[in-house]
């Protein structure tokens, strides 16, 4: 089946010539990635180091680079995409395994029990809502991005979150935007959201590695 037949079968209506259809999606993909990376660095200019500890404290980028690139660049993005996006636009039954893994991971992190219980409830509610709004790409992307950002609260001690409450929108803006983008990309296929997340994390790691090496 050629590209044109695939587009017709999926009901895709593109004003672009066939040879530009893939190029258009590729351009959007890398434009979003560039915006995402720029946003992270803009947020860094606010320098919230006086209010929040760095989740990367204690990690030596030079000595632990291989571990960092493998775990944070590949393993963690795949895990997060499986938990937060694998089931999107699929049968709701496909969320069972991701939900179990999420619960086990939260238990492993041993974070505050109030957050643990609240987040699991919020996650389940947002899954139910998204399952009923499969055709609302923007709505489910924003909602999924919000829940994804909230999940990253576990990176910081509770006392820092309370004392620096006013800065939370800035602190979690990059995770929110990343969540919205990968959920949007998910409509093209799960592998695309995984690839985007891996590329995003890996590039951030490489940028930080170059920065500390100079």
């Amino acid at each position: 089946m050629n590209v044109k037949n695939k587009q017709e079968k999926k009901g895709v209506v593109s004003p672009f010539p066939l040879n530009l259809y893939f190029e258009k999606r590729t351009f959007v993909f890398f434009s979003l990635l560039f915006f995402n990376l720029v946003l992270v660095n803009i947020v860094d200019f606010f320098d919230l180091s006086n209010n929040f500890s760095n989740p990367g404290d204690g990690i030596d980028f030079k000595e632990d680079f291989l571990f960092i690139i493998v775990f944070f660049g590949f393993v963690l993005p795949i895990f997060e995409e499986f938990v937060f996006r694998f089931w999107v636009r699929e049968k709701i039954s496909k969320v069972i395994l991701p939900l179990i893994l999420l619960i086990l991971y939260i238990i492993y992190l041993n974070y505050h029990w109030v957050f643990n219980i609240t987040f699991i409830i919020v996650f389940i509610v947002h899954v139910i809502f998204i399952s009923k709004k499969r055709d609302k790409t923007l709505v489910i992307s924003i909602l999924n991005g919000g829940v994804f950002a909230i999940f990253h609260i576990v990176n910081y001690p509770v006392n820092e979150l309370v004392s620096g409450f006013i800065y939370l929108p800035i602190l979690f803006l990059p995770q929110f935007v990343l969540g919205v983008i990968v959920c949007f990309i998910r409509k093209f296929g799960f592998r695309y959201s995984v690839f985007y997340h891996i590329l995003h994390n890996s590039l951030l790691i490489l940028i930080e590695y170059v920065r500390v090496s100079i």
Side-chain angles (χ1 to χ4, degrees):
M1 184 181 293
N2 58 35
V3 176
K4 182 177 180 180
N5 291 335
K6 286 183 178 179
Q7 287 184 225
E8 292 176 348
K9 183 177 181 180
K10 293 181 178 180
V12 176
V13 179
S14 173
F16 296 86
L18 293 181
N19 62 330
L20 290 181
Y21 181 70
F22 175 76
E23 293 179 17
K24 174 198 171 187
R25 289 171 56 172
T26 303
F27 173 77
V28 171
F29 182 93
F30 285 103
S31 295
L32 290 173
L33 180 62
F34 176 76
F35 166 75
N36 217 169
L37 295 175
V38 170
L39 177 64
V40 172
N41 286 278
I42 290 176
V43 170
D44 284 344
F45 277 114
F46 286 93
D47 189 14
L48 302 178
S49 58
N50 293 327
N51 305 93
F52 302 96
S53 56
N54 188 339
D57 286 345
I59 298 178
D60 189 316
F61 261 83
K62 292 183 178 180
E63 293 185 2
D64 302 323
F65 179 73
L66 182 59
F67 167 77
I68 293 171
I69 197 69
V70 170
F71 184 76
F72 294 100
F74 288 88
V75 177
L76 198 57
I78 293 172
F79 172 79
E80 289 182 337
E81 286 307 306
F82 183 74
V83 169
F84 287 93
R85 256 77 61 176
F86 173 73
W87 48 271
V88 174
R89 300 180 180 277
E90 302 288 347
K91 295 179 180 179
I92 196 170
S93 59
K94 288 199 172 184
V95 78
I96 295 176
L97 181 56
L99 178 59
I100 292 174
L101 290 177
L102 175 63
I103 293 174
L104 292 175
Y105 185 62
I106 287 180
I107 293 175
Y108 167 76
L109 292 177
N110 194 30
Y111 201 67
H112 198 286
W113 67 270
V114 173
F115 172 81
N116 294 347
I117 296 175
T118 303
F119 183 77
I120 293 300
I121 294 174
V122 169
F123 182 84
I124 293 174
V125 171
H126 112 282
V127 167
I128 296 174
F129 181 86
I130 286 179
S131 68
K132 297 179 180 180
K133 302 287 183 178
R134 295 181 183 177
D135 57 330
K136 306 292 184 180
T137 301
L138 181 60
V139 174
I140 66 176
S141 296
I142 292 175
L143 180 59
N144 186 264
V147 174
F148 181 68
I150 293 173
F151 175 69
H152 286 79
I153 282 178
V154 299
N155 289 335
Y156 303 92
V158 175
N159 63 306
E160 291 183 357
L161 295 170
V162 173
S163 61
F165 181 80
I166 190 174
Y167 300 107
L168 295 187
I170 298 175
L171 184 67
F172 294 110
L173 180 60
Q175 288 87 357
F176 170 70
V177 173
L178 173 62
V180 171
I181 291 176
V182 288
C183 192
F184 171 78
I185 292 175
R186 170 67 177 86
K187 73 176 186 177
F188 300 115
F190 180 62
R191 63 184 181 276
Y192 294 108
S193 65
V194 172
F195 177 65
Y196 182 97
H197 201 155
I198 288 175
L199 196 57
H200 170 271
N201 281 27
S202 298
L203 286 174
L204 283 180
I205 292 170
L206 291 174
I207 291 172
E208 182 64 16
Y209 179 77
V210 171
R211 187 186 69 80
V212 299
S213 298
I214 296 177

